Coordinates of all heavy atoms in Angstrom, one line a residue:
M207 N 63.0 -6.1 -19.6 CA 62.8 -4.8 -20.3 C 61.3 -4.4 -20.1 O 60.4 -5.2 -19.9 CB 63.0 -5.0 -21.8 CG 63.3 -3.7 -22.5 SD 62.6 -3.5 -24.1 CE 63.7 -4.5 -25.1
A208 N 61.1 -3.0 -20.0 CA 59.7 -2.5 -19.7 C 58.8 -2.7 -20.9 O 59.3 -2.8 -22.0 CB 59.9 -1.0 -19.4
R209 N 57.6 -2.7 -20.5 CA 56.5 -2.8 -21.6 C 56.2 -1.4 -22.1 O 55.9 -0.5 -21.3 CB 55.3 -3.5 -21.0 CG 55.2 -4.9 -21.2 CD 53.9 -5.5 -20.6 NE 54.1 -5.6 -19.1 CZ 53.5 -6.6 -18.5 NH1 52.5 -7.3 -19.1 NH2 53.7 -6.7 -17.2
Y210 N 56.1 -1.2 -23.4 CA 55.6 0.1 -23.9 C 54.8 -0.1 -25.0 O 55.0 -1.1 -25.9 CB 56.8 1.0 -24.1 CG 57.8 0.5 -25.1 CD1 57.7 0.6 -26.4 CD2 59.0 -0.1 -24.6 CE1 58.6 0.1 -27.3 CE2 59.9 -0.7 -25.5 CZ 59.8 -0.5 -26.9 OH 60.7 -1.1 -27.7
K211 N 53.8 0.8 -25.3 CA 52.9 0.7 -26.4 C 53.8 0.9 -27.7 O 54.6 1.9 -27.8 CB 51.8 1.8 -26.3 CG 50.9 1.8 -27.3 CD 49.8 2.8 -27.2 CE 48.9 2.9 -28.4 NZ 47.8 3.8 -28.2
I212 N 53.4 0.2 -28.8 CA 54.0 0.4 -30.1 C 53.0 1.3 -30.8 O 51.8 1.0 -31.1 CB 54.1 -0.9 -30.9 CG1 54.9 -2.0 -30.1 CG2 54.7 -0.6 -32.2 CD1 56.4 -1.7 -30.0
E213 N 53.4 2.5 -31.2 CA 52.6 3.5 -31.9 C 52.4 2.9 -33.4 O 53.1 2.2 -33.9 CB 53.2 4.9 -32.0 CG 53.4 5.4 -30.6 CD 52.1 5.6 -29.7 OE1 50.9 5.6 -30.3 OE2 52.1 5.7 -28.5
Q214 N 51.2 3.5 -34.0 CA 50.7 2.9 -35.3 C 51.8 2.9 -36.4 O 52.0 1.9 -37.0 CB 49.5 3.8 -35.7 CG 48.9 3.3 -37.0 CD 48.3 1.9 -36.7 OE1 47.6 1.7 -35.8 NE2 48.7 1.0 -37.7
E215 N 52.6 3.9 -36.4 CA 53.7 4.0 -37.5 C 54.7 2.9 -37.4 O 55.0 2.2 -38.3 CB 54.3 5.3 -37.5 CG 54.9 5.8 -38.8 CD 55.3 7.2 -38.8 OE1 54.6 8.0 -38.2 OE2 56.5 7.5 -39.3
A216 N 55.1 2.7 -36.1 CA 56.1 1.7 -35.8 C 55.5 0.3 -36.0 O 56.2 -0.6 -36.6 CB 56.6 1.8 -34.4
L217 N 54.3 0.1 -35.7 CA 53.5 -1.1 -35.8 C 53.5 -1.5 -37.3 O 53.7 -2.7 -37.6 CB 52.1 -1.0 -35.2 CG 51.4 -2.2 -34.9 CD1 52.2 -3.2 -34.1 CD2 50.1 -1.9 -34.3
T218 N 53.2 -0.6 -38.2 CA 53.1 -0.9 -39.6 C 54.5 -1.5 -40.1 O 54.6 -2.4 -40.8 CB 52.8 0.4 -40.4 OG1 51.6 1.0 -39.8 CG2 52.6 0.1 -41.9
A219 N 55.5 -0.8 -39.6 CA 56.9 -1.3 -39.9 C 57.2 -2.7 -39.4 O 57.7 -3.5 -40.1 CB 57.9 -0.3 -39.4
V220 N 56.8 -2.9 -38.2 CA 57.0 -4.2 -37.5 C 56.3 -5.3 -38.3 O 56.7 -6.4 -38.5 CB 56.5 -4.2 -36.1 CG1 56.3 -5.6 -35.5 CG2 57.6 -3.4 -35.2
L221 N 55.0 -5.0 -38.7 CA 54.2 -6.0 -39.4 C 54.8 -6.5 -40.7 O 54.5 -7.7 -41.1 CB 52.8 -5.4 -39.7 CG 51.8 -5.4 -38.5 CD1 50.5 -4.7 -38.8 CD2 51.5 -6.8 -37.9
E222 N 55.6 -5.6 -41.3 CA 56.2 -6.0 -42.6 C 57.2 -7.1 -42.3 O 57.6 -7.9 -43.3 CB 56.9 -4.8 -43.2 CG 55.9 -3.9 -43.9 CD 56.5 -2.6 -44.3 OE1 57.8 -2.4 -44.3 OE2 55.7 -1.6 -44.6
N223 N 57.8 -7.3 -41.0 CA 58.7 -8.3 -40.8 C 58.2 -9.5 -40.0 O 58.9 -10.3 -39.6 CB 59.8 -7.6 -39.9 CG 60.6 -6.6 -40.7 OD1 61.0 -6.8 -41.9 ND2 60.8 -5.5 -40.1
L224 N 56.8 -9.5 -39.8 CA 56.2 -10.6 -39.2 C 55.3 -11.3 -40.1 O 54.2 -10.8 -40.5 CB 55.4 -10.1 -38.0 CG 56.1 -9.8 -36.6 CD1 55.2 -9.3 -35.5 CD2 56.9 -11.0 -36.1
S225 N 55.6 -12.4 -40.6 CA 54.8 -13.2 -41.6 C 53.5 -13.7 -41.1 O 53.5 -14.5 -40.1 CB 55.7 -14.3 -42.1 OG 54.9 -15.1 -43.0
G226 N 52.5 -13.3 -41.7 CA 51.1 -13.8 -41.4 C 50.4 -13.1 -40.3 O 49.3 -13.5 -40.0
W227 N 51.0 -12.1 -39.7 CA 50.4 -11.3 -38.6 C 49.7 -10.1 -39.1 O 50.2 -9.5 -40.1 CB 51.4 -10.9 -37.5 CG 52.0 -12.1 -36.8 CD1 53.2 -12.8 -37.2 CD2 51.6 -12.6 -35.6 NE1 53.4 -13.8 -36.2 CE2 52.4 -13.7 -35.2 CE3 50.5 -12.3 -34.7 CZ2 52.3 -14.5 -34.0 CZ3 50.4 -13.1 -33.6 CH2 51.2 -14.1 -33.2
S228 N 48.5 -9.8 -38.5 CA 47.8 -8.5 -38.9 C 47.1 -7.9 -37.7 O 47.2 -8.6 -36.6 CB 46.8 -8.9 -39.9 OG 45.8 -9.8 -39.3
I229 N 46.6 -6.8 -37.8 CA 45.8 -6.2 -36.6 C 44.4 -6.5 -36.9 O 43.8 -6.2 -38.0 CB 46.1 -4.7 -36.6 CG1 47.5 -4.4 -36.6 CG2 45.3 -4.1 -35.4 CD1 48.3 -4.9 -35.4
Q230 N 43.7 -7.1 -36.0 CA 42.3 -7.4 -36.1 C 41.7 -7.1 -34.7 O 42.1 -7.6 -33.7 CB 42.0 -8.9 -36.3 CG 42.2 -9.2 -37.8 CD 41.7 -10.6 -38.2 OE1 40.9 -11.2 -37.6 NE2 42.2 -11.1 -39.2
D231 N 40.7 -6.2 -34.8 CA 40.0 -5.6 -33.5 C 41.0 -5.1 -32.6 O 41.0 -5.3 -31.4 CB 39.1 -6.7 -32.9 CG 38.0 -7.2 -33.7 OD1 37.5 -6.3 -34.4 OD2 37.6 -8.3 -33.7
G232 N 42.1 -4.4 -33.1 CA 43.1 -3.8 -32.2 C 44.1 -4.7 -31.6 O 44.9 -4.3 -30.8
K233 N 44.1 -6.0 -32.0 CA 44.9 -7.0 -31.4 C 45.9 -7.5 -32.5 O 45.5 -7.5 -33.7 CB 44.2 -8.1 -30.7 CG 43.4 -7.6 -29.6 CD 42.6 -8.7 -28.9 CE 41.7 -8.2 -27.8 NZ 40.8 -9.1 -27.3
L234 N 47.1 -8.0 -32.1 CA 48.0 -8.6 -33.1 C 47.6 -10.0 -33.3 O 47.6 -10.9 -32.4 CB 49.4 -8.5 -32.5 CG 50.6 -8.9 -33.3 CD1 50.6 -8.1 -34.6 CD2 51.9 -8.7 -32.6
H235 N 47.1 -10.3 -34.6 CA 46.4 -11.5 -34.8 C 47.2 -12.4 -35.8 O 47.8 -12.0 -36.8 CB 45.0 -11.2 -35.3 CG 44.5 -12.5 -36.0 ND1 43.8 -13.5 -35.3 CD2 44.4 -13.0 -37.2 CE1 43.5 -14.4 -36.1 NE2 43.8 -14.1 -37.3
K236 N 47.1 -13.8 -35.6 CA 47.6 -14.7 -36.6 C 46.8 -16.1 -36.2 O 46.6 -16.4 -35.0 CB 49.1 -15.0 -36.5 CG 49.6 -16.0 -37.6 CD 51.2 -16.0 -37.6 CE 51.7 -17.0 -38.6 NZ 53.2 -16.9 -38.7
T237 N 46.5 -16.8 -37.3 CA 46.0 -18.1 -37.1 C 47.0 -19.1 -37.6 O 47.4 -19.1 -38.8 CB 44.6 -18.4 -37.8 OG1 43.7 -17.5 -37.3 CG2 44.2 -19.8 -37.7
F238 N 47.5 -20.0 -36.7 CA 48.5 -21.0 -37.0 C 47.7 -22.3 -37.3 O 46.8 -22.7 -36.7 CB 49.4 -21.3 -35.8 CG 50.3 -20.1 -35.4 CD1 49.9 -19.1 -34.7 CD2 51.7 -20.2 -35.9 CE1 50.8 -18.0 -34.4 CE2 52.5 -19.2 -35.7 CZ 52.1 -18.1 -34.9
T239 N 48.3 -23.1 -38.4 CA 47.7 -24.3 -38.7 C 48.8 -25.4 -38.7 O 49.8 -25.2 -39.3 CB 47.1 -24.3 -40.1 OG1 46.1 -23.2 -40.1 CG2 46.4 -25.6 -40.4
F240 N 48.5 -26.5 -37.9 CA 49.5 -27.5 -37.8 C 49.1 -28.8 -38.4 O 48.0 -28.9 -39.0 CB 49.7 -27.8 -36.3 CG 50.3 -26.5 -35.5 CD1 49.4 -25.6 -35.0 CD2 51.6 -26.3 -35.4 CE1 49.9 -24.3 -34.3 CE2 52.2 -25.1 -34.9 CZ 51.3 -24.2 -34.3
G241 N 49.9 -29.8 -38.4 CA 49.7 -31.1 -39.2 C 48.6 -31.9 -38.4 O 48.0 -32.8 -39.0
S242 N 48.5 -31.7 -37.0 CA 47.6 -32.5 -36.3 C 47.3 -31.7 -35.0 O 47.8 -30.7 -34.6 CB 48.3 -33.8 -35.8 OG 49.4 -33.5 -35.0
F243 N 46.3 -32.3 -34.2 CA 45.9 -31.7 -32.9 C 47.1 -31.8 -32.0 O 47.4 -30.9 -31.2 CB 44.8 -32.5 -32.3 CG 44.4 -32.1 -31.0 CD1 43.8 -30.9 -30.7 CD2 44.5 -33.0 -29.9 CE1 43.4 -30.5 -29.3 CE2 44.2 -32.6 -28.6 CZ 43.6 -31.3 -28.4
A244 N 47.8 -33.0 -32.0 CA 49.0 -33.2 -31.1 C 50.1 -32.1 -31.4 O 50.7 -31.6 -30.4 CB 49.6 -34.6 -31.3
Q245 N 50.3 -31.8 -32.6 CA 51.3 -30.8 -32.9 C 50.9 -29.4 -32.5 O 51.7 -28.6 -32.0 CB 51.6 -30.7 -34.4 CG 52.6 -31.9 -34.9 CD 52.7 -32.0 -36.4 OE1 52.5 -31.0 -37.1 NE2 53.1 -33.1 -36.9
A246 N 49.6 -29.1 -32.7 CA 49.1 -27.9 -32.2 C 49.2 -27.7 -30.6 O 49.7 -26.7 -30.0 CB 47.6 -27.7 -32.5
M247 N 48.9 -28.8 -29.9 CA 49.1 -28.8 -28.4 C 50.5 -28.7 -28.0 O 50.8 -28.1 -27.0 CB 48.5 -30.2 -27.9 CG 47.0 -30.3 -27.9 SD 46.3 -29.1 -26.7 CE 45.6 -27.9 -27.7
G248 N 51.4 -29.5 -28.7 CA 52.8 -29.4 -28.4 C 53.4 -28.0 -28.5 O 54.1 -27.5 -27.6
W249 N 53.0 -27.3 -29.6 CA 53.3 -25.9 -29.9 C 52.8 -25.1 -28.7 O 53.5 -24.2 -28.1 CB 52.9 -25.4 -31.2 CG 53.1 -24.0 -31.5 CD1 54.4 -23.5 -31.9 CD2 52.2 -23.0 -31.4 NE1 54.2 -22.1 -32.1 CE2 52.9 -21.8 -31.8 CE3 50.9 -22.9 -31.0 CZ2 52.3 -20.5 -31.8 CZ3 50.2 -21.6 -31.1 CH2 51.0 -20.5 -31.5
M250 N 51.5 -25.2 -28.4 CA 50.9 -24.4 -27.4 C 51.6 -24.5 -26.0 O 51.9 -23.6 -25.3 CB 49.4 -24.7 -27.2 CG 48.5 -24.2 -28.3 SD 46.8 -24.6 -28.1 CE 46.2 -23.2 -27.2
M251 N 52.0 -25.7 -25.7 CA 52.7 -26.0 -24.5 C 54.1 -25.3 -24.4 O 54.5 -24.7 -23.5 CB 52.9 -27.5 -24.2 CG 53.1 -27.9 -22.8 SD 51.8 -27.4 -21.8 CE 52.7 -26.5 -20.5
S252 N 54.8 -25.4 -25.6 CA 56.1 -24.7 -25.7 C 56.0 -23.1 -25.5 O 56.7 -22.5 -24.8 CB 56.8 -24.9 -27.1 OG 56.8 -26.3 -27.3
V253 N 54.9 -22.7 -26.2 CA 54.7 -21.2 -26.1 C 54.3 -20.9 -24.7 O 54.7 -19.8 -24.1 CB 53.5 -20.8 -27.1 CG1 53.1 -19.3 -26.8 CG2 54.0 -20.9 -28.5
A254 N 53.5 -21.7 -24.0 CA 52.9 -21.4 -22.7 C 54.1 -21.3 -21.7 O 54.1 -20.4 -20.9 CB 52.0 -22.5 -22.3
I255 N 55.1 -22.2 -21.9 CA 56.3 -22.1 -20.9 C 57.0 -20.8 -21.1 O 57.3 -20.1 -20.1 CB 57.2 -23.3 -21.2 CG1 56.5 -24.5 -20.7 CG2 58.5 -23.1 -20.5 CD1 57.2 -25.9 -21.2
H256 N 57.2 -20.4 -22.4 CA 57.9 -19.1 -22.6 C 57.0 -17.9 -22.2 O 57.6 -17.0 -21.6 CB 58.2 -19.1 -24.1 CG 58.9 -17.8 -24.6 ND1 60.3 -17.7 -24.5 CD2 58.5 -16.6 -25.0 CE1 60.6 -16.5 -24.8 NE2 59.5 -15.8 -25.2
A257 N 55.8 -17.9 -22.4 CA 54.8 -16.9 -22.1 C 54.9 -16.6 -20.6 O 54.9 -15.6 -20.1 CB 53.4 -17.1 -22.6
D258 N 54.8 -17.8 -19.9 CA 54.8 -17.6 -18.4 C 56.1 -17.1 -17.9 O 56.0 -16.3 -17.0 CB 54.5 -19.0 -17.9 CG 53.8 -18.8 -16.5 OD1 52.9 -18.0 -16.4 OD2 54.0 -19.7 -15.6
K259 N 57.1 -17.4 -18.5 CA 58.5 -16.9 -18.0 C 58.5 -15.4 -18.3 O 59.1 -14.6 -17.5 CB 59.6 -17.6 -18.8 CG 60.2 -18.8 -18.2 CD 61.4 -19.3 -18.9 CE 61.6 -20.8 -18.7 NZ 62.3 -21.4 -19.8
M260 N 58.0 -14.9 -19.5 CA 57.9 -13.6 -19.8 C 56.9 -12.8 -18.9 O 56.9 -11.6 -18.8 CB 57.4 -13.4 -21.2 CG 58.3 -13.5 -22.3 SD 57.5 -13.3 -23.9 CE 57.4 -11.5 -24.0
D261 N 55.9 -13.6 -18.3 CA 54.8 -13.0 -17.6 C 54.0 -12.3 -18.6 O 53.5 -11.0 -18.3 CB 55.2 -12.2 -16.4 CG 54.0 -11.9 -15.5 OD1 53.1 -12.7 -15.4 OD2 54.0 -10.8 -14.9
H262 N 53.8 -12.8 -19.8 CA 53.0 -12.2 -20.8 C 52.3 -13.2 -21.5 O 52.8 -14.1 -22.2 CB 53.9 -11.4 -21.8 CG 53.1 -10.4 -22.6 ND1 52.5 -9.3 -22.0 CD2 52.9 -10.4 -23.9 CE1 52.0 -8.6 -22.9 NE2 52.1 -9.3 -24.2
H263 N 50.9 -13.2 -21.4 CA 50.0 -14.4 -21.7 C 49.2 -14.1 -22.9 O 48.5 -13.1 -23.0 CB 49.3 -14.8 -20.5 CG 50.2 -15.1 -19.3 ND1 50.5 -14.1 -18.4 CD2 50.7 -16.2 -18.9 CE1 51.3 -14.7 -17.5 NE2 51.5 -16.0 -17.8
P264 N 49.1 -15.1 -23.9 CA 48.3 -14.8 -25.1 C 46.9 -15.1 -24.9 O 46.5 -15.9 -24.0 CB 48.9 -15.9 -26.0 CG 49.4 -17.0 -25.1 CD 49.9 -16.4 -23.9
E265 N 46.1 -14.4 -25.7 CA 44.6 -14.8 -25.9 C 44.7 -15.8 -27.1 O 45.2 -15.4 -28.1 CB 43.8 -13.6 -26.2 CG 43.8 -12.6 -25.1 CD 43.0 -11.4 -25.3 OE1 42.2 -11.3 -26.3 OE2 43.2 -10.4 -24.6
W266 N 44.2 -17.0 -26.9 CA 44.3 -17.9 -28.0 C 43.1 -18.9 -27.9 O 42.6 -19.1 -26.8 CB 45.6 -18.6 -28.1 CG 46.2 -19.3 -26.9 CD1 45.6 -19.4 -25.7 CD2 47.5 -19.8 -26.7 NE1 46.4 -20.0 -24.8 CE2 47.6 -20.3 -25.4 CE3 48.6 -19.9 -27.6 CZ2 48.8 -20.9 -25.0 CZ3 49.8 -20.5 -27.2 CH2 49.8 -21.0 -25.9
F267 N 42.8 -19.6 -29.1 CA 41.6 -20.4 -29.2 C 42.0 -21.5 -30.1 O 42.4 -21.3 -31.3 CB 40.5 -19.6 -29.7 CG 39.2 -20.4 -29.9 CD1 38.5 -20.7 -28.8 CD2 38.8 -20.7 -31.2 CE1 37.3 -21.4 -29.0 CE2 37.5 -21.5 -31.4 CZ 36.8 -21.8 -30.2
N268 N 41.9 -22.7 -29.6 CA 42.3 -23.9 -30.4 C 41.1 -24.7 -31.0 O 40.1 -24.9 -30.2 CB 43.2 -24.8 -29.6 CG 43.2 -26.2 -30.1 OD1 42.7 -27.2 -29.5 ND2 43.9 -26.5 -31.2
V269 N 41.1 -25.0 -32.2 CA 40.2 -26.0 -32.7 C 41.0 -27.0 -33.6 O 41.6 -26.6 -34.6 CB 39.1 -25.4 -33.6 CG1 38.2 -26.5 -34.2 CG2 38.2 -24.3 -32.9
Y270 N 41.0 -28.3 -33.1 CA 41.8 -29.3 -33.7 C 43.2 -28.9 -34.1 O 44.0 -28.8 -33.2 CB 41.0 -29.8 -35.0 CG 41.7 -30.9 -35.8 CD1 42.2 -32.1 -35.1 CD2 41.9 -30.9 -37.2 CE1 42.9 -33.0 -35.8 CE2 42.5 -31.9 -37.9 CZ 43.0 -33.0 -37.2 OH 43.7 -33.9 -37.9
N271 N 43.5 -28.7 -35.3 CA 45.0 -28.4 -35.6 C 45.2 -26.9 -35.8 O 46.2 -26.5 -36.3 CB 45.4 -29.2 -36.9 CG 44.7 -28.7 -38.1 OD1 43.5 -28.2 -38.0 ND2 45.2 -28.9 -39.3
R272 N 44.2 -26.1 -35.5 CA 44.3 -24.6 -35.7 C 44.4 -23.9 -34.3 O 43.7 -24.3 -33.4 CB 43.2 -24.0 -36.5 CG 43.1 -24.5 -38.0 CD 42.1 -23.7 -38.7 NE 40.8 -23.7 -38.1 CZ 39.9 -24.7 -38.2 NH1 40.2 -25.8 -38.9 NH2 38.7 -24.7 -37.6
V273 N 45.2 -22.9 -34.3 CA 45.2 -22.0 -33.1 C 45.1 -20.6 -33.5 O 46.0 -20.0 -34.2 CB 46.5 -22.2 -32.3 CG1 46.5 -21.4 -30.9 CG2 46.8 -23.7 -31.9
R274 N 44.0 -19.9 -33.1 CA 43.8 -18.5 -33.4 C 44.5 -17.7 -32.2 O 44.2 -18.0 -31.1 CB 42.3 -18.2 -33.4 CG 42.1 -16.8 -33.8 CD 40.6 -16.3 -33.5 NE 40.7 -14.8 -33.5 CZ 40.4 -14.1 -34.5 NH1 39.9 -14.6 -35.6 NH2 40.6 -12.8 -34.5
V275 N 45.4 -16.8 -32.5 CA 46.1 -16.0 -31.5 C 45.8 -14.6 -31.7 O 45.8 -14.0 -32.8 CB 47.6 -16.3 -31.7 CG1 48.4 -15.4 -30.7 CG2 48.0 -17.7 -31.5
D276 N 45.4 -13.9 -30.5 CA 45.2 -12.4 -30.5 C 46.1 -11.9 -29.3 O 45.8 -12.1 -28.2 CB 43.9 -12.1 -30.4 CG 43.0 -12.6 -31.5 OD1 43.0 -11.9 -32.6 OD2 42.4 -13.7 -31.5
L277 N 47.1 -11.1 -29.7 CA 48.0 -10.6 -28.7 C 47.7 -9.2 -28.4 O 47.6 -8.3 -29.2 CB 49.4 -10.8 -29.2 CG 49.9 -12.1 -29.4 CD1 51.4 -12.1 -29.9 CD2 49.7 -13.1 -28.2
T278 N 47.7 -8.8 -27.1 CA 47.4 -7.5 -26.6 C 48.0 -7.4 -25.2 O 48.3 -8.4 -24.6 CB 45.9 -7.1 -26.7 OG1 45.8 -5.8 -26.3 CG2 45.2 -8.0 -25.7
T279 N 48.2 -6.2 -24.7 CA 48.8 -6.0 -23.4 C 47.7 -5.4 -22.4 O 47.4 -4.3 -22.5 CB 50.0 -5.1 -23.5 OG1 50.9 -5.8 -24.3 CG2 50.7 -4.9 -22.1
H280 N 47.2 -6.2 -21.6 CA 46.1 -5.9 -20.7 C 46.5 -4.7 -19.7 O 45.7 -3.8 -19.6 CB 45.6 -7.1 -20.0 CG 45.5 -8.4 -20.8 ND1 46.0 -9.6 -20.5 CD2 44.8 -8.5 -21.9 CE1 45.7 -10.4 -21.5 NE2 44.9 -9.8 -22.3
D281 N 47.7 -4.8 -19.3 CA 48.2 -3.7 -18.3 C 48.4 -2.3 -19.0 O 48.5 -1.4 -18.3 CB 49.5 -4.1 -17.6 CG 49.3 -5.4 -16.8 OD1 48.2 -5.7 -16.5 OD2 50.4 -6.0 -16.5
L282 N 48.3 -2.3 -20.3 CA 48.4 -1.0 -21.0 C 47.2 -0.7 -21.7 O 47.1 -0.1 -22.8 CB 49.6 -1.0 -22.1 CG 51.0 -1.2 -21.5 CD1 52.0 -1.3 -22.7 CD2 51.4 0.0 -20.6
G283 N 46.1 -1.1 -21.1 CA 44.7 -0.9 -21.6 C 44.5 -1.5 -23.0 O 43.8 -0.9 -23.8
N284 N 45.0 -2.7 -23.1 CA 44.9 -3.5 -24.4 C 45.6 -2.8 -25.6 O 45.1 -3.0 -26.7 CB 43.4 -3.8 -24.7 CG 42.9 -4.9 -23.8 OD1 43.6 -5.7 -23.3 ND2 41.5 -4.8 -23.5
A285 N 46.7 -2.1 -25.3 CA 47.4 -1.6 -26.4 C 48.3 -2.8 -26.9 O 48.5 -3.8 -26.1 CB 48.3 -0.5 -25.9
I286 N 48.9 -2.7 -28.1 CA 49.9 -3.6 -28.5 C 51.3 -3.1 -28.1 O 51.6 -2.0 -28.4 CB 49.8 -3.8 -30.1 CG1 48.4 -4.4 -30.5 CG2 50.9 -4.7 -30.6 CD1 48.2 -4.5 -31.9
S287 N 52.1 -3.9 -27.4 CA 53.3 -3.5 -26.9 C 54.4 -4.2 -27.5 O 54.3 -5.2 -28.2 CB 53.3 -3.7 -25.4 OG 53.4 -5.0 -25.1
N288 N 55.6 -3.8 -27.1 CA 56.9 -4.5 -27.5 C 56.9 -6.0 -27.0 O 57.4 -6.9 -27.7 CB 58.1 -3.8 -27.0 CG 58.1 -3.6 -25.5 OD1 57.0 -3.3 -24.9 ND2 59.2 -3.7 -24.7
W289 N 56.2 -6.3 -26.0 CA 56.1 -7.7 -25.6 C 55.3 -8.5 -26.4 O 55.5 -9.7 -26.6 CB 55.7 -7.7 -24.0 CG 56.7 -7.3 -23.1 CD1 57.8 -6.5 -23.3 CD2 56.8 -7.6 -21.7 NE1 58.5 -6.3 -22.2 CE2 57.9 -7.0 -21.1 CE3 56.0 -8.5 -20.9 CZ2 58.2 -7.2 -19.8 CZ3 56.3 -8.6 -19.6 CH2 57.5 -7.9 -19.0
D290 N 54.2 -7.9 -27.0 CA 53.4 -8.7 -27.9 C 54.2 -9.0 -29.2 O 54.1 -10.1 -29.7 CB 52.1 -7.8 -28.3 CG 51.2 -7.6 -27.1 OD1 50.9 -8.6 -26.4 OD2 50.9 -6.5 -26.8
I291 N 55.0 -8.1 -29.6 CA 55.8 -8.3 -30.8 C 56.8 -9.4 -30.5 O 57.1 -10.3 -31.3 CB 56.6 -7.0 -31.2 CG1 55.7 -5.8 -31.4 CG2 57.5 -7.3 -32.4 CD1 54.7 -5.9 -32.4
E292 N 57.4 -9.3 -29.3 CA 58.4 -10.3 -28.9 C 57.8 -11.8 -28.8 O 58.3 -12.7 -29.3 CB 59.0 -10.0 -27.5 CG 60.2 -10.8 -27.1 CD 60.8 -10.3 -25.8 OE1 60.9 -9.1 -25.5 OE2 61.0 -11.2 -25.0
L293 N 56.5 -11.8 -28.2 CA 55.9 -13.1 -28.1 C 55.4 -13.6 -29.5 O 55.6 -14.8 -29.8 CB 54.7 -12.9 -27.2 CG 53.9 -14.3 -26.8 CD1 54.8 -15.3 -26.3 CD2 52.8 -13.9 -25.9
A294 N 55.0 -12.7 -30.4 CA 54.7 -13.1 -31.7 C 55.8 -13.8 -32.5 O 55.8 -14.8 -33.1 CB 54.1 -11.9 -32.6
A295 N 57.1 -13.1 -32.3 CA 58.3 -13.6 -33.0 C 58.7 -15.0 -32.4 O 59.0 -15.9 -33.1 CB 59.4 -12.6 -32.8
K296 N 58.5 -15.1 -31.1 CA 58.8 -16.4 -30.4 C 57.8 -17.6 -30.9 O 58.2 -18.7 -31.2 CB 58.7 -16.3 -29.0 CG 59.2 -17.4 -28.2 CD 60.7 -17.5 -28.3 CE 61.2 -18.8 -27.7 NZ 62.7 -19.0 -27.8
M297 N 56.5 -17.2 -31.1 CA 55.5 -18.1 -31.6 C 55.9 -18.6 -32.9 O 55.9 -19.8 -33.3 CB 54.2 -17.5 -31.6 CG 53.5 -17.3 -30.3 SD 51.9 -16.6 -30.4 CE 51.2 -17.0 -28.8
D298 N 56.3 -17.7 -33.9 CA 56.8 -18.0 -35.2 C 57.9 -19.0 -35.1 O 58.0 -20.0 -35.8 CB 57.1 -16.8 -36.0 CG 56.0 -16.1 -36.6 OD1 54.9 -16.7 -36.5 OD2 56.0 -15.0 -37.0
E299 N 58.9 -18.6 -34.2 CA 60.2 -19.4 -34.2 C 59.9 -20.8 -33.7 O 60.3 -21.9 -34.2 CB 61.1 -18.7 -33.1 CG 62.4 -19.3 -32.9 CD 63.1 -18.8 -31.7 OE1 63.0 -17.6 -31.5 OE2 63.7 -19.6 -30.9
L300 N 58.9 -21.0 -32.7 CA 58.6 -22.2 -32.1 C 57.7 -23.1 -33.2 O 57.7 -24.3 -33.0 CB 57.9 -22.1 -30.8 CG 58.7 -21.6 -29.6 CD1 57.9 -21.3 -28.4 CD2 59.9 -22.7 -29.3
A301 N 57.0 -22.4 -34.0 CA 56.3 -23.1 -35.0 C 57.1 -23.7 -36.2 O 56.7 -24.5 -37.0 CB 55.2 -22.2 -35.6
G302 N 58.4 -23.2 -36.2 CA 59.3 -23.8 -37.1 C 59.3 -23.1 -38.5 O 58.6 -23.3 -39.4
Ligands
H2B586 N1 49.6 -10.8 -20.2 C1 49.3 -9.9 -21.1 N2 49.0 -10.3 -22.4 N3 49.1 -8.7 -20.8 C2 49.4 -8.1 -19.7 O1 49.2 -7.0 -19.4 C3 49.8 -9.1 -18.7 C4 49.9 -10.4 -19.0 N4 50.1 -8.7 -17.5 N5 50.2 -11.4 -18.1 C5 50.6 -9.6 -16.5 C6 50.3 -11.1 -16.7 C7 50.2 -9.1 -15.1 O2 48.9 -9.3 -14.8 C8 51.0 -9.8 -13.9 C9 50.4 -9.3 -12.6 O3 52.4 -9.4 -14.1

């Protein structure tokens, strides 16, 4: 499916169905906390495989058991797109 920008109004509606996600500095943001570093790494690897298949890659930053995620679509001038929403939902699903 093609990538398209999610306009502000639609984004507000989408956010109501995405637990823990917010907009920070124009990016779709969430900080995940796991039980251990190993669990955080395992999750990142699962997400990485999925992200690479999608050809849509997250901006993320790991410290011990926490992973800060900021999703945006570089090819759309850093807009938030349907692919960011899809990746966010997949991240939640893989986090259990
Ligand atoms: N990831 C993200 N987050 N945004 C993009 O626009 C993007 C990407 N574009 N991964 C892809 C790769 C593009 O550079 C390649 C050439 O398809």
Side-chain angles (χ1 to χ4, degrees):
M207 205 218 283
R209 266 179 276 210
Y210 56 84
K211 179 179 175 176
I212 307 288
E213 299 300 340
Q214 188 57 54
E215 207 172 314
L217 195 53
T218 306
V220 163
L221 280 175
E222 284 170 15
N223 295 312
L224 279 178
S225 171
W227 292 88
S228 63
I229 306 300
Q230 281 192 22
D231 294 329
K233 298 175 183 178
L234 188 55
H235 165 81
K236 183 172 178 173
T237 297
F238 289 84
T239 303
F240 298 91
S242 65
F243 176 69
Q245 282 172 19
M247 283 295 110
W249 176 81
M250 287 179 90
M251 201 59 235
S252 309
V253 170
I255 291 166
H256 182 84
D258 208 34
K259 271 188 201 152
M260 282 178 79
D261 194 29
H262 198 67
H263 303 87
E265 296 177 17
W266 52 7
F267 180 75
N268 161 249
V269 178
Y270 180 46
N271 65 336
R272 292 188 310 279
V273 184
R274 184 195 163 96
V275 177
D276 294 282
L277 301 179
T278 183
T279 300
H280 310 130
D281 295 344
L282 293 178
N284 285 331
I286 295 174
S287 75
N288 55 322
W289 285 24
D290 295 308
I291 306 299
E292 191 179 317
L293 186 54
K296 190 70 186 179
M297 285 179 162
D298 279 346
E299 183 192 319
L300 290 171

